[in-house]
Amino acid sequence: MKALFIGGTGTISTAITALAPQCDIELYLINRGNKMDLVPEGVKVIQADINNEADIKDKLKNMTFDVVAQFIAFDTDALERDFRLFEGKTKQYIFISSASAYQKPLASPYITESTPLSNPYWEYSRKKIACEEYLMKQYRENGFPVTIVRPSHTYGDFSVPLAIHGKNGSYSVIDRIRNGKKVIIHGDGSSLWTLTHNTDFAKAFVGLMGNVHAIGDTVHITSDESLTWNQIYEIIGSALGVKPNIVHIPSETLAKADPELSGGLLGDKTHTVIFDNTKIKRLVPGFQATVRFDQGIRKTLAYILSHEELQSPDPEFDTWTDRMIQLYEEYEAKLSEI
């Protein structure tokens, strides 16, 4: 099988890029070349900017693929370009969408691929919905061989999956936990969430590649493990050898304090979600997510704490967190006086 990944070195795609060559897949990446250390031996890199359509068209002019996978598109303009580039040049085009596109607020926490798509809280999710609609239109009207994949919260070596963190990523929260500083969990921390290790995601994804039964279809890939946010932070703390000092603050309050949190909280992580993975298991017989969160997060933390380039301080986020906690605790204290 001959495959082309647009991207290939991100949180999700790194694990797939590592696994694909082990499955006799001849793999090419369109990549700017910024993370060449993450590209396994034998994977061929077409160093280019996918947004330079003329250059890409020239570099691919004599090439066809069994699979093209798009990991980095976030709007329909990118997909219109891909349709121009790859119509007639691939037997399957796989688009990475998002499980955040599922209906919010949820009518039921049990999610299947037929759960409606609607997210008034998060523009990112609405753009993914628009991308899905565009691609399915191309499938119906032009026979473009689309497969849509919806990941939920997938993590790997480079970042700890959290509900709330700053612009510099997860390290600031890790550092707060291991130093006994207070950290914020939205709501009361009892809503259920699903975290999937990227190596588990990769196994299912590779099983979809070249899979005729997946053409014209949509499927999500997640673990079957459900954890509360309190459990997630307790597990992170346990892996660091400490008990996290947690402060619960309502999601709506956090979103008002920082509107940029609104999409990720009110449009996603606030809600209990339990994924039904029957479909991916039917399409990829034998697939099972096998990395429990307590296992995967130890590997993630070990990697981060041994790579200084991933240990980015975030003083702006730390200041915001401390101030947010102070104000909320003062508010709670005043409530007790009523």
Side-chain angles (χ1 to χ4, degrees), residues 4 63 155 232 241 298:
L4 174 70
M63 302 178 73
Y155 70 102
I232 290 167
R298 290 181 184 277

Side-chain angles (χ1 to χ4, degrees), residues 8 76 208 211 279 311 324:
T76 53
L208 291 174
N211 189 330
K279 192 172 188 180
Q311 299 171 28
M324 189 73 213

Side-chain angles (χ1 to χ4, degrees), residues 182-183 235 276 337:
K182 294 177 180 179
V183 293
I235 289 169
D276 181 337
E337 298 172 1

